[in-house]
């Protein structure tokens, strides 16, 4: 029988830092992301060939985009090398994650949108801001973006955050009392990425100390995060 303490860390289903496609069943849905989740479910019956998922960091945009990428067999396009990807699409849908993280490659995005529309395909863009805030200078691109459908994703609410934390622990085969989950919901930054980091740290610390995950351990870990102690790599 394998000792859990010696097992390597399991890959999390909500690992927002990777481009892996995840099962739709892994997605926790609440009022904050319900519209975006419904959009993923509706594909290819979309109101526009170009969709923008807009929301703050840690709101789950990348996770939703990854689910859609797997569902649509879409090509992941690097936001900094859009022009290079156009010829290789072959009529397939395309995904650009964090398109507004740096300056928009305007000519490339304009030609990509035209390529997608001409092929009868679809394009999903995830961004922190609405297209109107991207300060696009190319008039033709601005016009194309105005025709896109934009869906807003909000910061996780209590229901979503509690569901994600519970699921992250369950995926690690760790049982945690509901009052510990509620404590974490009240104390951590309202971000799915932060939830992942605190769960990973709590699981690792509990294994090292050979103790269950208690409210006291949760408080200690959150306080360390608040003070910026240690690295929380997932």
């Amino acid at each position: 029988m394998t000792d859990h303490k010696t097992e390597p860390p399991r890959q999390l289903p909500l690992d927002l830092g990777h481009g892996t496609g995840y099962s739709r069943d892994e997605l926790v849905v609440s009022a904050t992301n319900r519209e975006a989740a419904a959009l993923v479910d509706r594909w290819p019956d979309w109101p526009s060939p170009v969709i923008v998922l807009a929301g703050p960091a840690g709101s789950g945009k990348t996770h939703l985009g990854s689910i859609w990428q797997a569902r649509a067999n879409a090509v992941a396009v690097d936001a900094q090398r859009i022009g290079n990807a156009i010829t290789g699409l072959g009529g397939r849908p395309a995904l650009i994650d964090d398109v507004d993280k740096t300056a928009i490659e305007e000519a490339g995005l304009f030609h990509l949108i035209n390529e997608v529309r001409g092929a009868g395909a679809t394009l999903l863009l995830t961004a922190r801001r609405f297209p109107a805030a991207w300060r696009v200078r190319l008039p033709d691109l601005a016009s194309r973006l105005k025709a896109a459908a934009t869906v807003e994703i909000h910061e996780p609410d209590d229901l979503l955050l509690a569901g994600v934390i519970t699921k992250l622990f369950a995926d690690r085969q760790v049982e945690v009392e509901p009052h510990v989950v509620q404590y974490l919901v009240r104390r951590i930054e309202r971000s799915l990425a932060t939830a992942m980091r605190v769960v990973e740290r709590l699981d690792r610390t509990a294994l090292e100390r050979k103790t269950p995950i208690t409210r006291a351990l949760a408080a200690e870990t959150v306080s360390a995060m608040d003070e910026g102690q240690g690295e929380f790599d997932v």
Side-chain angles (χ1 to χ4, degrees):
M1 180 175 178
T2 302
D3 185 349
H4 175 59
K5 292 187 287 297
T6 64
E7 290 180 3
R10 296 178 176 83
Q11 182 174 338
L12 299 180
L14 293 174
D15 191 348
L16 306 182
H18 296 77
T20 308
Y22 303 113
S23 165
R24 173 62 174 78
D25 293 338
E26 304 288 2
L27 185 67
V28 180
V29 179
S30 79
T32 62
N33 66 351
R34 183 170 291 117
E35 185 180 358
L39 191 78
V40 169
D41 290 341
R42 281 179 57 188
W43 185 87
D45 180 23
W46 276 6
S48 168
V50 181
I51 300 287
V52 179
L53 292 185
S59 60
K61 303 182 300 295
T62 297
H63 183 206
L64 281 160
S66 188
I67 291 172
W68 177 78
Q69 181 186 352
R71 180 185 182 96
N73 190 28
V75 177
V77 175
D78 186 336
Q80 300 305 302
R81 297 177 175 82
I82 299 174
N84 297 341
I86 294 174
T87 56
L89 283 182
R92 288 171 59 189
L95 165 71
I96 303 179
D97 191 33
D98 273 337
V99 68
D100 64 339
K101 189 173 183 179
T102 57
I104 305 290
E105 187 187 322
E106 296 191 19
L109 183 55
F110 172 68
H111 290 301
L112 176 62
I113 290 174
N114 285 345
E115 179 71 20
V116 166
R117 288 163 59 102
T122 44
L123 171 64
L124 179 64
L125 307 171
T126 74
R128 296 189 180 188
R129 299 162 297 169
F130 286 85
W134 296 355
R135 298 181 180 178
V136 168
R137 297 179 180 179
L138 189 63
D140 288 339
L141 176 59
S143 176
R144 290 284 188 269
L145 292 173
K146 285 180 181 178
T150 301
V151 177
E152 185 174 9
I153 308 175
H154 302 276
E155 291 182 336
D157 58 11
D158 287 357
L159 177 64
L160 178 59
L161 207 53
V164 167
I165 291 171
T166 300
K167 184 162 185 56
L168 288 170
F169 278 123
D171 288 334
R172 289 172 171 263
Q173 299 182 8
V174 176
E175 291 188 12
V176 178
E177 294 292 334
H179 69 90
V180 176
V181 174
Q182 290 304 317
Y183 173 80
L184 292 172
V185 167
R186 292 193 301 270
R187 285 294 312 276
I188 70 172
E189 175 188 306
R190 308 198 71 76
S191 157
L192 303 187
T194 299
M196 291 174 56
R197 287 193 289 270
V198 73
V199 166
E200 189 275 338
R201 178 62 177 260
L202 275 168
D203 187 26
R204 186 171 61 194
T205 302
L207 288 172
E208 289 172 352
R209 299 182 185 181
K210 301 180 182 179
T211 61
I213 296 176
T214 62
R215 186 184 181 282
L217 183 60
E220 177 187 334
T221 301
V222 172
S223 293
M225 291 179 71
D226 288 344
E227 294 168 10
Q229 298 177 4
E231 295 296 328
F232 300 92
D233 296 326
V234 176

